[in-house]
Each structure stands twice: as C-alpha cells, then as structure tokens.
Amino acid sequence: AQSVTQLGSHVSVSEGALVLLRCNYSSSVPPYLFWYVQYPNQGLQLLLKYTTGATLVKGINGFEAEFKKSETSFHLTKPSAHMSDAAEYFCAVSFTGGGNKLTFGTGTQLKVEL
Amino acid sequence: GAVVSQHPSRVICKSGTSVKIECRSLDFQATTMFWYRQFPKQSLMLMATSNEGSKATYEQGVEKDKFLINHASLTLSTLTVTSAHPEDSSFYICSANKGGSFQETQYFGPGTRLLVL
C-alpha cells in the first residue's frame, strides 16, 4: 500500500519569501510523484511530476521539487512567493502497475501575505 | 493541450432525485477516466476508474449502484448519482489519461458542485 503525508495543512509566507511545502510518501515499489495546485472551486492543475531520471524536477510558475529516495520525500519549493500562488497544493503518488491511480495527500493551503 | 470539461459546473437537486455529471476530454481520447469526490477542506478520494467499453472499477466503500458510471466513448464518461441524499452533497472531479502508459499525467476537469436539498 502507498500513502502520502503532507506536513502542515496551512502554510503562510510573505510575498517574496521562500515557499516550502512538505510531502513524504510511503511506497513498497518505486513511486511516481506529482504536485497539483487547486484554486477555489476549480479542478486540479499539474505543477510538476517525477517519474524517472533527474531527481530535481522543474514545473510551472517557478516551482520545483526534489525526489529524495533516502528521505522518501518530494518537497515543493519556490524561491519567491507571489500573491497569485495562494491556493491549495496536493502531493500525489502512483506506481507502475497501479493502473495510473493516484493517491493524494491531505493538501496544504498556502497563504501569501504582503 | 489536454483539456477536460465537466458539465454541469454546479447543480442543486431535491433529495431522492438522480443527477448526471458529464466528463469530456475535449482534445484527446481518454482510454481511462477517474472520478473523485472532495469534501470541503479535504483531499480527493478516488471513487472509481472508468475504462471505455467496460465496467467501471469501484474503490472499496463506494456503492456502485448509487454512483453509476458509464464510459460510452473515448471522450465521454458520465457519473450518475442515483436517489441523491444530502450526504451526497460534495465536489465531484473527473480526470482523464491520454493513454495507457503508467507515466501518463491525469488531466483534471474543473469539478461539479452538487448540493442535495
């Protein structure tokens, strides 16, 4: 069985500050990892994903994440927060042979303050 | 691109009625579509996996007779909430895969807000 843990249901940063959203996973097989963003009353938009290869993955809107197998982590970062980054962020995991089924974390609400 | 639409975006119905939600892949063929349910301030819970031309696979605890899924074509899947009750009120989101590869990204629809009175 696989699972995803997102530490911190709410994160607040100042505009221009570093954004760090934490995600740890549990999987008995090599995982495929995703970060999605959800704006109010909307569906999910893919920020980035890790499947194989380079462990540092760059996504849209200046976000990036690093897959660290030894730490079973896939934390999401952005060097400088913008007001438009305020949203709900979900980490998700799938694995080969799993029928592309995604298991989501509980989400982190990012607030960006002036 | 990979655009997924849902219709309606919002629906209010009376208890005991049935509601149909459509999920369409607009610019690609989706061999697999997924249906999720999201309660306020919570994560997405997978309800079922829908494959074109075959019966949907439901997750444990999801009533297949209550949540009817039909994947009639490679661009359309429907979710029908039968005999809806207030506890069925939720945000329903679908997603679609372009192909069968395990690396395929899921593209999400904008969601349907269901309120059962």
Side-chain angles (χ1 to χ4, degrees), chain A residues 15-83:
Chain A
E15 191 175 33
L18 171 72
V19 175
L20 170 60
L21 304 182
R22 298 178 186 275
C23 173
N24 289 86
Y25 69 90
S26 172
S27 177
S28 57
V29 297
Y32 302 102
L33 297 157
F34 306 79
W35 274 100
Y36 285 88
V37 60
Q38 184 182 33
Y39 296 98
N41 296 310
Q42 294 186 30
L44 275 66
Q45 180 182 8
L46 179 69
L47 281 176
L48 49 79
K49 66 178 181 180
Y50 168 80
T51 53
T52 58
T55 56
L56 180 62
V57 181
K58 295 186 184 297
I60 62 171
N61 301 338
F63 285 94
E64 63 182 37
E66 186 172 10
F67 169 57
K68 292 186 176 181
K69 184 178 179 181
S70 61
E71 299 178 8
T72 61
S73 69
F74 191 57
H75 301 330
L76 181 70
T77 60
K78 182 174 180 178
S80 177
H82 191 272
M83 295 296 289

Side-chain angles (χ1 to χ4, degrees), chain B residues 16-97:
Chain B
T17 62
S18 294
V19 174
K20 180 184 285 188
I21 302 170
E22 293 185 348
C23 177
R24 293 182 184 272
S25 55
L26 298 184
D27 51 1
F28 66 98
Q29 293 185 328
T31 54
T32 304
M33 289 184 171
F34 301 86
W35 286 96
Y36 295 85
R37 184 173 180 176
Q38 185 181 30
F39 290 103
K41 309 293 184 183
Q42 295 188 29
S43 188
L44 282 74
M45 299 300 295
L46 179 66
M47 299 174 66
T49 302
S50 171
N51 292 295
E52 188 266 339
S54 63
K55 290 184 178 180
T57 302
Y58 290 81
E59 294 300 300
Q60 192 172 10
V62 177
E63 298 176 61
K64 60 179 67 176
D65 293 331
K66 179 160 188 66
F67 298 99
L68 300 179
I69 291 173
N70 185 286
H71 195 154
S73 75
L74 287 172
T75 59
L76 173 65
S77 177
T78 60
L79 168 68
T80 301
V81 183
T82 61
S83 187
H85 290 283
E87 58 265 29
D88 299 324
S89 298
S90 191
F91 195 48
Y92 293 87
I93 304 176
C94 73
S95 70
N97 277 114

